[in-house]
């Protein structure tokens, strides 16, 4: 057997709170690779300990004692120029922090899978193109060749498709089926409706709540216990950082306990005062009902966007550690009138799907897994800012509405508003509001060298081509006598240059790892 055929097929779920790495094992099944500490899940946390950088379990533990040296959830800040905390006197781009996490996963996994560089990394479906590119850069910094970036819900559907037997190994499905993926993790929530057909995974609609996850459920318990303590002793334990650190850890554990047991106790001590609070599952569910309702709302919105009813959904699949909470399962059972499928581990399904994708790409032709086609939609509307003719107020004009199947090309025509106008500034935005301030600024492109003597009302055609890989290309054509066209890749102020990427890679992986 040739070496290329035996390249390890590796997939990585680079999660907000936990990351998981998986490969296709000797018998052709996806399998999670434990890290050097023996855990399947690696906390996505980085600790700066003097000259040492520690990733994972120990870094996570240090959150309760030395939070100032800990970078947690860098994924939340991916797309920003720098992480918002300073360590020593240094600031780090989120890509570098994720690079350390990926490098640990890679090194730990190579003990089992053998040496490898290629891997598929997953991202949330709602990630815009800036954050996809930044994730790809994180992979490079961490010493990986990123084969593909695929959406987490798609990866989960791939894993279920192959392992739960909807699809046979030849890629056959009897009939296309509609799948709803409900993913509630530690810090984020998203819902995706997909169609799984022969050799094809097609996203139909996706939505999410970037600020909703298991941590919010933890916080409700912290508040409940703290209020109880305050009523007894008159002091708020949340004001003491060491006590708060301990509460964070204990309340998360208690929450997890309440998924299997119907009651649990949390002890809280501050100074010489100490109090045990008993929490039943029922109380916990009351305390967090509105959070669950928020997921219910997003699920309904997504179904609506997919133009479907519950009777159109053939399977509901559960992803993310927080879907272990019985209340989540009960809610989905009652909404969908079916038992959600949880045959695969909710923590591992995404990484397993990524490993399957990697096998499809690396071993094309020779793989047991036929390469499936993956069709995405854009998760946010894309447009430009233009001034309204009557009022002169800037507003967003959408070129590509959200949930449009990719690839797509869209054009809109605008008019110059001054005689002899010499320049056009095109501001590209992403978001659902017509107010530019409420949208994310993707970048801008300026045309300075318009041909002279353009009449007011000269037509300017803007063309957006959004590719399947989530990259956007922009073309501007000036009408009138000139018919000149300009092409732009968007300039992104926050992304790292080639030199910066190479230097971070050297710093994190060492000089021998190229
Ligand atoms: P992410 O995708 O955000 O990295 P995960 O899918 O790994 O996260 O989910 C992590 C979350 O799942 C944490 O908030 C954790 O407390 C929660 N979780 C894990 N196991 C359970 C459980 N048994 N009951 C409730 N929540 C759980
Ligand atoms: Mg996840």
């Amino acid at each position: 057997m040739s070496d290329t055929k035996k390249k390890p097929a590796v997939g990585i779920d680079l999660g907000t709170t936990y990351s998981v790495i998986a490969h296709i094992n000797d018998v052709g099944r996806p399998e999670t690779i434990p890290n050097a500490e023996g855990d399947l899940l690696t906390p996505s946390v980085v600790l700066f300990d003097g000259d040492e950088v520690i990733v994972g379990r120990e870094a996570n533990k240090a959150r309760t004692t030395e939070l100032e040296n800990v970078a947690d959830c860098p994924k939340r800040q991916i797309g920003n120029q720098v992480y918002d905390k300073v360590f020593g006197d240094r600031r780090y781009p989120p890509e570098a922090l994720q690079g350390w996490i990926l490098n640990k996963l890679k090194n730990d996994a190579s003990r089992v899978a053998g040496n490898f560089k290629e891997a598929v990394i997953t991202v949330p479906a709602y990630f815009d193109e800036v954050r996809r590119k930044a994730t790809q850069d994180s992979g490079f910094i961490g010493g990986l060749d990123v084969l593909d970036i695929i959406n987490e819900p798609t990866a989960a559907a791939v894993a279920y498709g192959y392992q739960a037997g909807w699809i046979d190994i030849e890629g056959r499905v009897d009939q296309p089926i509609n799948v709803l993926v409900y993913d509630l993790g530690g810090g984020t929530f998203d819902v995706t409706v997909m169609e799984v057909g022969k050799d094809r995974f097609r996203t139909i609609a996706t939505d999410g709540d970037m600020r909703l996850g298991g941590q919010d459920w933890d916080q409700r318990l912290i508040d409940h216990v703290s209020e109880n303590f305050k009523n007894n002793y008159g002091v708020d334990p949340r004001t003491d950082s060491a006590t708060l650190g301990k509460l964070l850890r204990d309340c998360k554990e208690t929450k997890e306990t309440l998924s299997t047991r119907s009651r649990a106790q949390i002890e809280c001590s501050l100074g010489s005062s100490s109090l045990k609070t008993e929490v039943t599952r029922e109380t916990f569910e009351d305390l967090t009902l509105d959070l669950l309702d928020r997921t219910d709302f997003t699920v309904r919105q997504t179904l609506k966007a997919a133009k479907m009813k519950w009777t159109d959904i053939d399977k509901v699949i559960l992803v993310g550690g927080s879907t272990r909470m019985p209340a989540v399962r009960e809610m989905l059972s009652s909404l969908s009138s079916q038992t959600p499928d949880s045959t695969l581990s909710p923590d591992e399904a995404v990484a397993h799907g990524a490993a399957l994708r990697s096998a499809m790409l690396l071993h094309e032709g020779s793989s047991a897994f036929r390469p499936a086609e993956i069709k995405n939609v854009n998760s946010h509307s894309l447009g430009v800012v233009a001034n309204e003719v009557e009022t002169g107020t800037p507003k967003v004009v959408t070129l590509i509405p959200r949930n449009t199947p990719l690839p797509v090309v869209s054009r809109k025509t605008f008019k110059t508003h001054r005689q002899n106008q010499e320049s056009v500034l095109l501001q590209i935005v992403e978001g659902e509001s017509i107010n530019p301030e409420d949208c994310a600024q993707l970048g801008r492109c300026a045309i300075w060298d318009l041909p002279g003597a353009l009449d007011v009302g000269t037509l300017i055609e803007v063309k957006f081509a959004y590719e399947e890989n989530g990259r956007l290309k922009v073309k501007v054509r000036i009408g009138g006598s000139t018919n000149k066209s300009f092409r732009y890749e968007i300039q992104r102020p926050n992304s790292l240059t080639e030199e910066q990427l190479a230097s971070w890679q050297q710093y994190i992986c060492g000089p021998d790892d190229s």
Side-chain angles (χ1 to χ4, degrees):
M1 209 173 288
S2 80
D3 279 351
T4 45
K5 268 192 187 165
K6 286 308 288 174
K7 266 189 183 171
V10 176
I12 299 174
D13 169 8
L14 182 59
T16 312
T17 41
Y18 291 101
S19 295
V20 182
I21 187 163
H23 73 144
I24 304 298
N25 67 14
D26 291 342
V27 295
R29 299 202 60 90
E31 179 181 71
T32 305
I33 307 178
N35 61 21
E37 294 78 51
D39 301 325
L40 298 179
L41 276 62
T42 301
S44 305
V45 184
V46 180
L47 166 70
F48 292 93
D49 185 13
D51 286 341
E52 259 193 294
V53 178
I54 296 161
V55 172
R57 191 206 280 180
E58 291 308 315
N60 196 35
K61 271 202 215 153
R63 289 169 59 192
T64 49
T65 49
E66 42 177 319
L67 194 57
E68 68 283 5
N69 298 327
V70 173
D72 60 355
C73 307
K75 185 174 175 179
R76 274 204 184 287
Q77 298 187 33
I78 201 83
N80 297 354
Q81 202 161 18
V82 284
Y83 189 75
D84 65 5
K85 239 156 121 179
V86 183
F87 302 99
D89 50 9
R90 271 197 97 161
R91 304 202 75 142
Y92 295 88
E95 290 95 321
L97 300 170
Q98 294 213 113
W100 264 299
I101 296 169
L102 289 167
N103 190 243
K104 174 190 168 59
L105 295 170
K106 173 181 181 252
N107 290 340
D108 289 4
S110 58
R111 297 169 312 137
V112 175
N115 279 335
F116 67 92
K117 277 182 90 77
E118 281 111 334
V120 169
I121 304 180
T122 58
V123 293
Y126 61 78
F127 256 26
D128 56 31
E129 73 128 13
V130 174
R131 288 180 284 176
R132 281 169 202 267
K133 170 71 169 53
T135 304
Q136 179 137 21
D137 290 347
S138 307
F140 175 81
I141 290 177
L144 294 166
D145 276 347
V146 182
L147 282 173
D148 200 5
I149 299 271
I150 64 167
N151 290 344
E152 290 162 10
T154 306
V158 169
Y160 266 92
Y162 284 93
Q163 289 179 264
W166 321 330
I167 306 175
D168 68 18
I169 213 150
E170 295 283 303
R172 277 191 302 253
V173 201
D174 293 341
Q175 284 280 319
I177 56 170
N178 294 324
V179 179
L180 183 134
V181 185
Y182 177 103
D183 181 352
L184 187 59
T188 56
F189 170 62
D190 48 311
V191 193
T192 303
V193 175
M194 307 191 57
E195 185 197 78
V196 179
K198 184 177 179 327
D199 293 338
R200 202 169 75 151
F201 294 82
R202 185 167 72 95
T203 300
I204 298 168
T206 183
D207 203 346
D209 198 330
M210 277 179 62
R211 299 270 155 203
L212 182 65
Q215 286 160 3
D216 299 289
W217 272 257
D218 303 347
Q219 189 61 44
R220 291 293 164 85
L221 272 185
I222 295 172
D223 294 342
H224 177 69
V225 171
S226 301
E227 290 299 327
N228 193 18
F229 192 94
K230 211 166 99 185
N231 290 340
N232 275 271
Y233 297 110
V235 267
D236 189 336
R238 286 167 294 196
T239 53
D240 178 71
S241 67
T243 311
L244 180 62
K246 202 170 156 297
L247 272 176
L248 271 167
R249 192 188 61 207
D250 294 350
C251 288
K252 174 173 177 286
E253 270 173 19
T254 304
K255 171 194 76 175
E256 292 172 6
T257 302
L258 288 171
S259 291
T260 37
R261 301 189 55 182
S262 57
R263 60 187 64 235
Q265 283 191 341
I266 307 170
E267 189 170 350
C268 175
S269 327
L270 178 63
S272 56
S273 315
S274 177
L275 185 72
K276 275 196 183 127
T277 303
E278 183 170 279
V279 187
T280 63
R281 186 186 294 162
E282 209 181 340
T283 310
F284 174 62
E285 289 177 354
D286 283 344
L287 291 170
T288 53
L289 188 61
D290 61 311
L291 301 174
L292 194 66
D293 280 347
R294 274 166 65 186
T295 74
D296 174 332
F297 177 78
T298 308
V299 168
R300 287 171 201 265
Q301 294 268 97
T302 317
L303 264 186
K304 213 193 231 167
K307 302 193 176 60
M308 283 191 198
K309 298 187 291 294
W310 279 110
T311 46
D312 299 317
I313 299 290
D314 302 294
K315 299 264 177 200
V316 176
I317 66 180
L318 299 179
V319 182
S322 301
T323 60
R324 290 210 176 84
M325 291 189 289
V328 168
R329 291 163 190 240
E330 283 154 21
M331 178 193 80
L332 284 168
S333 299
S334 108
L335 280 173
S336 66
S337 313
Q338 57 173 289
T339 310
D341 196 338
S342 56
T343 29
L344 301 188
S345 150
D347 315 298
E348 297 169 82
V350 171
H352 287 193
L356 285 162
R357 177 68 179 160
S358 182
M360 291 174 196
L361 295 171
L362 276 175
H363 307 158
E364 206 170 335
S366 67
S367 170
F369 304 102
R370 295 218 354 190
E373 187 187 21
I374 292 181
K375 290 269 177 207
N376 291 332
V377 294
N378 64 328
S379 47
H380 309 270
S381 301
L382 285 166
V384 295
V385 179
N387 288 329
E388 222 168 32
V389 182
E390 297 87 38
T391 59
T393 350
K395 71 167 215 209
V396 175
V397 179
T398 299
L399 273 92
I400 307 178
R402 66 186 305 188
N403 289 325
T404 305
L406 303 183
V408 63
V409 173
S410 167
R411 295 182 177 82
K412 271 244 155 77
T413 308
F414 301 88
K415 291 177 181 165
T416 56
H417 60 270
R418 272 183 286 115
Q419 187 66 32
N420 300 335
Q421 189 166 329
E422 283 170 355
S423 63
V424 172
L425 179 68
L426 207 60
Q427 208 170 332
I428 301 155
V429 292
E430 189 176 72
E432 309 314 315
S433 166
I434 60 158
N435 180 2
E437 310 241 305
D438 298 335
C439 294
Q441 311 290 321
L442 275 196
R444 45 175 58 197
C445 54
I447 307 168
W448 296 108
D449 48 352
L450 287 184
L454 286 186
D455 288 334
V456 179
T458 300
L459 299 181
I460 298 178
E461 186 195 74
V462 178
K463 180 173 132 186
F464 275 17
Y466 204 168
E467 298 172 358
E468 271 179 85
N469 58 8
R471 309 306 307 276
L472 178 68
K473 292 227 167 77
V474 181
K475 209 167 173 182
V476 181
R477 197 164 61 84
I478 312 292
S481 55
T482 56
N483 242 350
K484 236 177 152 182
S485 73
F486 305 80
R487 221 177 108 188
Y488 290 92
E489 288 264 359
I490 308 169
Q491 301 147 16
R492 291 172 201 82
N494 287 350
S495 55
L496 298 172
T497 63
E498 299 276 313
E499 293 80 52
Q500 286 170 319
L501 286 172
S503 119
W504 278 113
Q505 193 210 50
Q506 283 254 322
Y507 187 67
I508 289 170
C509 305
D512 303 330
D513 198 81
S514 52

